[in-house]
Amino acid sequence: MEKYKVGVIGGTGMVGQRFVTLLENHPWFQLTVIAASPRSAGKTYAQAVSGRWAMQTPIPAQAKDIVVMDAQEDVEKIAGLVDFVFCAVDMKKDEIRALEERYAKAECPVLSNNSAHRWTDDVPMIVPELNPDHARIIPAQRARLGTKRGFISVKSNCSIQSYTPMLTPLMKAGYEIDKVLACTYQAISGAGKTFERWPEMTDNLIPYIGGEEEKSEQEPLKVWGHIEDGKIVKASSPAVTAQCLRVPVSDGHTAAVFVKFKEGKKPTEEQIKEIWKNFKGRAQELELPSAPKQFIHYFEEPDRPQAKLDRDLEGGMAISAGRLRPDSQYDYKFVGLSHNTLRGAAGGNVLMAELLCAEGYIDRK
């Protein structure tokens, strides 16, 4: 098939680098444009990331000689060269909102890794297995923006993908959840850092990540929300409370999760495991290139999942769970794990792009 031409806006940062590696040999997408700040513009990509390439694999050959464009000055030019862009810029939120709308209004779909538009009422925040139907808001957003092709779609915060994937199948199976407590233990790559760049994280734990707890408590409610009158209305329940800690792990966000069901209907442990095992989302139904065959992997071993052992399951796109057991205060507790820069960031965004292409929301020019 003819490949979609793709741009990466913010391609020199850690998430941008991950996009570049994921687009290497992608069966549907061809990396065509890389854009970044003025200090990188005009350089080849290899020159722009020299000394700060953070991936474990080498710079893809197809990206090395691409001349980096200016993400803000070259909007119209970039929009004319590609079918859509991934956006992972490091700017102030109001600047990101304005920039992403400029690309959308230039008739270029924007698949954003940023948080700036996550609470815009008509911008879908899609986890392809959990809420693919939220893509139906795109025509309403296009009407507001005055566009035919252009729109913005965002991915959720990386931390919520270590627990919402286990909760959603239970809710879809008819079990109403009353409240959730999630304590997340988040890798340093979530801050765009490596141990070389952040030596103070070695043998350390920081019990605070700015803004993370608010995102972890509120964003699941948008994922579980519904479309009404051209807006996504967030769910009113379950109530989610979270505590987020930065831990000395390179990649992989772990969550300790406590779940209380509403009165009257509670699944057994065996039913929960069976629901997780059999759950397939739209990404699996469509057999999208980046979709894991088995969305949720449950481990019976008492010491799993572990970040080092399990974060790379199915190319880092699967979700891991373990230690499901009754709790004395809640009904159940379990541990979840997701790869934060793959499933939680660039990989989840690539999967979202595949979904939107397969469902006809993104076309080739």
Side-chain angles (χ1 to χ4, degrees), residues 20-264:
V20 169
T21 61
L22 290 173
L23 291 171
E24 184 180 23
N25 302 318
H26 191 282
W28 292 11
F29 303 150
Q30 177 66 48
L31 178 63
T32 305
V33 169
I34 301 174
S37 66
R39 71 174 179 272
S40 297
K43 299 177 182 177
T44 65
Y45 187 63
Q47 292 170 335
V49 297
S50 177
R52 55 192 182 116
W53 181 252
M55 301 295 102
Q56 294 182 345
T57 54
I59 302 170
Q62 67 183 48
K64 282 184 177 180
D65 296 325
I66 292 178
V67 176
V68 178
M69 300 178 72
D70 190 312
Q72 297 189 70
E73 294 297 322
D74 297 330
V75 172
E76 295 288 342
K77 187 175 180 181
I78 292 167
L81 293 171
V82 300
D83 296 313
F84 68 91
V85 296
F86 294 111
C87 188
V89 294
D90 183 11
M91 298 163 59
K92 295 178 181 178
K93 280 192 179 182
D94 57 343
E95 295 174 345
I96 294 172
R97 277 193 289 270
L99 182 66
E100 291 180 344
E101 286 210 359
R102 283 179 62 199
Y103 277 95
K105 288 179 178 178
E107 298 295 0
C108 181
V110 179
L111 279 68
S112 177
N113 197 73
N114 304 298
S115 64
H117 272 292
R118 286 183 192 157
W119 288 103
T120 304
D121 289 337
D122 57 10
V123 171
M125 183 168 67
I126 296 174
V127 181
E129 287 87 354
L130 307 186
N131 63 335
D133 57 307
H134 282 197
R136 292 187 292 107
I137 198 70
I138 289 171
Q141 185 193 148
R142 282 174 169 156
R144 173 177 64 85
L145 295 174
T147 61
K148 294 180 178 179
R149 290 187 77 254
F151 68 89
I152 302 163
S153 183
V154 300
K155 58 153 283 294
S156 69
N157 186 268
C158 51
S159 67
I160 76 167
Q161 302 213 37
S162 55
Y163 54 94
T164 53
M166 274 71 81
L167 302 176
T168 306
L170 303 178
M171 296 160 71
K172 287 180 181 289
Y175 296 101
E176 293 187 81
I177 298 175
D178 182 37
K179 57 184 178 179
V180 176
L181 165 63
C183 297
T184 61
Y185 305 87
Q186 301 184 203
I188 63 172
S189 56
K193 301 288 183 66
T194 62
F195 284 111
E196 290 74 22
R197 295 183 194 171
W198 202 3
E200 58 266 37
M201 273 307 302
T202 302
D203 191 31
N204 196 14
L205 181 153
I206 299 175
Y208 172 73
I209 307 172
E212 201 75 5
E213 287 160 3
E214 294 83 356
K215 294 174 187 175
S216 298
E217 292 171 354
Q218 293 299 314
E219 288 187 18
L221 300 177
K222 183 169 183 178
V223 171
W224 294 326
H226 67 279
I227 296 172
E228 183 180 319
D229 297 329
K231 297 179 179 180
I232 298 172
V233 180
K234 73 177 187 178
S236 57
S237 65
V240 182
T241 185
Q243 186 147 263
C244 302
L245 299 83
R246 188 73 71 192
V247 295
V249 172
S250 59
D251 293 300
H253 287 354
T254 300
V257 188
F258 302 77
V259 183
K260 179 76 173 177
F261 290 90
K262 290 188 177 179
E263 294 291 332

